Amino acid sequence: MVVDFETMMYKNVVWHTYEIHFSQFELVMEDFNEKLVKANLTIAGPLFYALHNIPFDEKMLIDIYIPVEQTHIPKDSDLFFQSYFYIDEMLMTRVRDNFEVKTEKAYDELFQYAIRNDYQINSPIFHILRGDDEGEWVELKVRVYKEIT
């Protein structure tokens, strides 16, 4: 199921960009965590990442983000910082279990929904990692707009 008119809104967000082979994803997550620890940052929200390309060639360009409690980062950090992160007019769907297989289907569901509703996509695909006592899931979001003719 695709939901219309979603937003992403966070404050004090740190991020870093990676260009990797998809098999290095877990190493990148560890590297990002090490950067957070080295900068002595306190997590204040969900980890999310922007996938700038569908990795058909097995290479990924991603930005990994996380909200933190701090209002600035150390000057020697190789993380980037933004006070506010806000995107509106997004489509969203969720993936639970068997993420590798279901995520590809969810991308298709988002793209087909956009096509059926005459939307143009103008953002990378955002993956927001969520969880509670009942399990884990990923929210997939993409910003869209309608061309005015």
Side-chain angles (χ1 to χ4, degrees):
M1 178 176 84
V2 174
V3 178
D4 245 328
F5 305 108
E6 283 284 311
T7 62
M8 292 177 64
M9 182 172 31
Y10 302 102
K11 66 179 186 174
N12 301 330
V13 175
V14 295
W15 58 280
H16 191 78
T17 301
Y18 296 89
E19 189 169 357
I20 60 166
H21 186 271
F22 79 93
S23 65
Q24 298 172 307
F25 186 74
E26 289 201 24
L27 294 173
V28 163
M29 296 301 265
E30 290 172 16
D31 179 73
F32 186 72
N33 187 57
E34 288 172 11
K35 291 178 188 319
L36 296 172
V37 170
K38 182 179 176 187
N40 200 28
L41 299 173
T42 306
I43 295 170
L47 183 128
F48 60 99
Y49 62 94
L51 180 60
H52 292 274
N53 63 311
I54 305 294
F56 295 120
D57 62 356
E58 300 182 348
K59 293 185 180 170
M60 298 168 55
L61 176 61
I62 59 173
D63 295 325
I64 301 178
Y65 302 85
I66 198 160
V68 296
E69 290 182 5
Q70 290 74 13
T71 57
H72 63 280
I73 59 174
K75 292 184 190 287
D76 64 344
S77 174
D78 59 351
L79 293 167
F80 297 97
F81 178 85
Q82 44 193 107
S83 299
Y84 295 98
F85 184 98
Y86 178 79
I87 303 174
D88 61 0
E89 299 181 26
M90 300 182 89
L91 301 178
M92 186 272 295
T93 190
R94 290 187 179 97
V95 177
R96 290 185 184 269
D97 308 316
N98 200 6
F99 295 111
E100 288 184 28
V101 173
K102 290 184 177 179
T103 299
E104 193 172 316
K105 291 179 182 176
Y107 291 161
D108 187 56
E109 186 179 13
L110 285 172
F111 298 151
Q112 293 302 319
Y113 187 93
I115 290 167
R116 281 193 311 276
N117 291 280
D118 296 322
Y119 288 133
Q120 301 294 317
I121 295 172
N122 67 342
S123 80
I125 302 170
F126 289 89
H127 300 70
I128 306 164
L129 308 182
R130 303 279 193 185
D132 61 18
D133 293 340
E134 296 182 22
E136 297 177 344
W137 67 93
V138 177
E139 290 179 355
L140 302 175
K141 294 186 177 186
V142 64
R143 188 168 195 283
V144 295
Y145 71 96
K146 277 194 179 183
E147 284 193 24
I148 299 173
T149 55

